[in-house]
Amino acid sequence: MAAPAHPAAVLELQGLRVRYPGSTSNTLDGLNLRLHAGERLALVGPSGCGKSTVARAVLQLLPQGSRCQGSLRLNGRDPRGLRRSELRRLRGEAVGLVFQDPMTRLNPLMTIGEHLADTLSEHRPAWQQAQIRERAQSLLQRVGISDERYGSYPHEFSGGMRQRLAIALAMALRPALVIADEPTTSLDVAVAGQVMQELCDLCQEAGSALLLISHDLAMAGRWCDHIAVLDQGRLVEQAAATTLLTRPQSPLAQRLVGAARAREGGLTPAPSNAAPLLELEELRCWHPLPGLPWQARWYRAVDGVSLQLRHGETIGVVGASGCGKSTLCRALMGLTPVRGGSVKLKGVDLMRLRGEALRQARRRIQMVFQDPLACLNPAMTVGEAIADPLLIHGLASPSAAREQARQWLEAVGLQPPEAFEARLPRQLSGGQQQRVAIARALVLEPQVLLCDESVSMLDAEVQAEVLQLLRSLQDRLGLGLIFVTHDLSVASGFCQRVVVLDGGQIVEEGPGDQLLSQPQAAITRTLVEACPRLPAAAGA
């Protein structure tokens, strides 16, 4: 009796080549990939390797003028040969897409219910309105959103809830394939785990294949059966997740896994025992909530935080979304009102300073943001962006500021500086943009550097490079670092001490490895349980 034929692939790429308009080389260069119903495959690789281009090619969302050659079959059909109306239908019914930032798909003028109803009515024209609403409410409930939020707007949702809505939209038509492109990058580890669990459960119920595009190897190993490694548009290794993470074969996979392990278990020098550089005492940031004037209500974003930071020390700040991490950074930068407590820099209470004295003191505290493009003017060159703070504060002439900008480009590893100073931010990779943001923050020679999720959007190799850069600059300049992250494993490897925030208060504090192995507070236990870790290396 003949053996049963292997089921047809949901997605099959053979020799796929993609070249963007104006480029002299292929972004995808002969890619072979196959994915069957119910399979979960993670696509990983360094920035610029072509991961997101795979999704764009499958959905035929490539820029006009792009070349897409080779074999491409989605659910047995080549999307390149379809009319526009057929392609729209294929995109919704054969493949669902979950973006990194759900707001890129959500219309701010439409309610949550209208988003789902619009998708369902477009693809299921025979359905009655009652049937559409019932299916939409069922989808919302399935991803943990109450019926009461049916009439809410996207801006009224948290990042995690918006991503849940994006999953509901992607799964609305039970597609054969779901592509999730960095779906949890901006979420804290607990919410990320919940979102991925919901996505995987829905894929399993619908029998959908999942293609997860990610820079996080630990997350890829936790949620996917297999991992494929891309390099310069080619597949260099593919294996079962545990096999690849414990016994990587290709040089690139070995580097990626090595960088991820170094991130989880790095060592840092012991901090100085000198007097505190920065002291927070009972710091409070309360925001008024709407209500009757005689019934004042407050949202206690930061509620009595006390902390000491010394020269050369790195303190990690972790916690779930809404715990007060970013508010704490904004308060230290003077970007949000402080209702009480004190902030002392080298013994001087910043809350008592005014005018020029406060302005000069504030220069000593600088910040590196999660998204470097959020703090870089897209119309200014890299050299201008770094020199600008010196000109704003009147610390250097234009020619001296340009020279200092070149020196800082060299200090953050962008060499030779002449090759980078005239570029615009969008002409740099994500890792290069973050190096520019670090240079811009350090050009004023601060004593305290705040890093708010400054590596969460970077792949494992670039993360390791940026963290090593921060370490070396800290050693050279004696910086005190406050490192805000949602990833407890990163904090434990990079920071001497880690504090856990919950409800605006510090609920636990100690060495990172101790928090990972013996968490005491309930929120710490939740974060540790949700934190994806690499499996032990072979022979370890």
Side-chain angles (χ1 to χ4, degrees), residues 152-165:
S152 298
Y153 287 88
H155 73 271
E156 298 176 301
F157 273 19
S158 68
M161 291 180 69
R162 287 197 291 263
Q163 200 59 291
R164 286 185 169 93
L165 173 61

Side-chain angles (χ1 to χ4, degrees), residues 165-242:
L165 173 61
I167 290 172
L169 286 166
M171 299 301 302
L173 302 168
R174 301 174 70 88
L177 172 66
V178 175
I179 301 177
D181 191 355
E182 301 282 9
T184 62
T185 296
S186 58
L187 307 178
D188 73 65
V189 65
V191 175
Q194 295 166 6
V195 165
M196 285 304 303
Q197 186 67 64
E198 289 160 2
L199 176 58
C200 290
D201 287 349
L202 285 169
C203 285
Q204 184 173 1
E205 290 174 13
S208 305
L210 173 63
L211 180 63
L212 174 66
I213 297 171
S214 178
H215 66 261
D216 190 331
L217 291 180
M219 189 187 79
R222 179 168 185 169
W223 298 108
C224 292
D225 309 311
H226 291 80
I227 297 177
V229 183
L230 252 62
D231 188 23
Q232 298 180 353
R234 295 181 179 178
L235 187 66
V236 297
E237 187 171 352
Q238 183 172 349
T242 302

Side-chain angles (χ1 to χ4, degrees), residues 181-441:
D181 191 355
E182 301 282 9
T184 62
T185 296
S186 58
L187 307 178
D188 73 65
V189 65
V191 175
Q194 295 166 6
V195 165
M196 285 304 303
Q197 186 67 64
E198 289 160 2
L199 176 58
C200 290
D201 287 349
L202 285 169
C203 285
Q204 184 173 1
E205 290 174 13
S208 305
L210 173 63
L211 180 63
L212 174 66
I213 297 171
S214 178
H215 66 261
D216 190 331
L217 291 180
M219 189 187 79
R222 179 168 185 169
W223 298 108
C224 292
D225 309 311
H226 291 80
I227 297 177
V229 183
L230 252 62
D231 188 23
Q232 298 180 353
R234 295 181 179 178
L235 187 66
V236 297
E237 187 171 352
Q238 183 172 349
T242 302
T243 301
L244 190 140
L245 295 177
T246 56
R247 297 187 297 278
Q249 300 300 309
S250 65
L252 175 58
Q254 290 170 355
R255 292 203 314 270
L256 292 174
V257 173
R261 292 196 185 282
R263 186 194 71 172
E264 288 187 357
L267 298 175
T268 52
S272 166
N273 291 321
L277 171 61
L278 182 70
E279 293 180 90
L280 314 183
E281 294 182 5
E282 293 294 321
L283 186 66
R284 299 190 300 279
C285 297
W286 295 3
H287 308 314
L289 294 171
L292 299 174
W294 58 87
Q295 292 179 335
R297 296 188 305 140
W298 299 90
Y299 172 62
R300 303 184 179 193
V302 174
D303 190 26
V305 169
S306 297
L307 198 63
Q308 290 188 348
L309 176 71
R310 302 181 187 279
H311 285 278
E313 184 182 21
T314 302
I315 295 179
V317 180
V318 303
S321 295
C323 71
K325 302 188 299 292
S326 294
T327 300
L328 177 63
C329 287
R330 290 196 296 269
L332 296 178
M333 287 291 294
L335 300 176
T336 196
V338 172
R339 184 165 175 81
S342 66
V343 178
K344 295 180 181 179
L345 182 64
K346 300 186 75 170
V348 177
D349 190 348
L350 301 185
M351 310 303 297
R352 298 180 181 274
L353 299 181
R354 297 291 183 274
E356 183 60 24
L358 176 61
R359 190 165 179 260
Q360 290 185 15
R362 289 288 183 199
R363 290 207 311 259
R364 302 305 179 196
I365 304 177
Q366 293 297 313
M367 187 165 172
V368 181
F369 295 86
Q370 176 179 0
D371 182 359
L373 289 180
C375 66
L376 298 176
N377 187 329
M380 294 177 72
T381 66
V382 164
E384 291 169 341
I386 297 173
D388 194 46
L390 294 170
L391 301 176
I392 290 173
H393 287 273
L395 298 176
S397 66
S399 60
R402 283 195 298 273
E403 181 56 33
Q404 287 195 45
R406 293 189 189 102
Q407 293 173 4
W408 276 107
L409 280 171
E410 200 162 354
V412 298
L414 296 178
Q415 303 178 38
E418 294 77 17
F420 292 92
E421 63 179 348
R423 296 189 196 180
L424 294 172
R426 66 173 182 271
Q427 295 173 314
L428 303 178
S429 69
Q432 291 170 337
Q433 290 168 0
Q434 199 59 287
R435 288 172 184 267
V436 172
I438 292 171
R440 178 180 166 86

Side-chain angles (χ1 to χ4, degrees), residues 98-110:
V98 182
F99 293 90
Q100 177 177 349
D101 180 4
M103 286 301 283
T104 58
R105 179 178 180 180
L106 302 179
N107 186 334
L109 302 180
M110 292 173 63

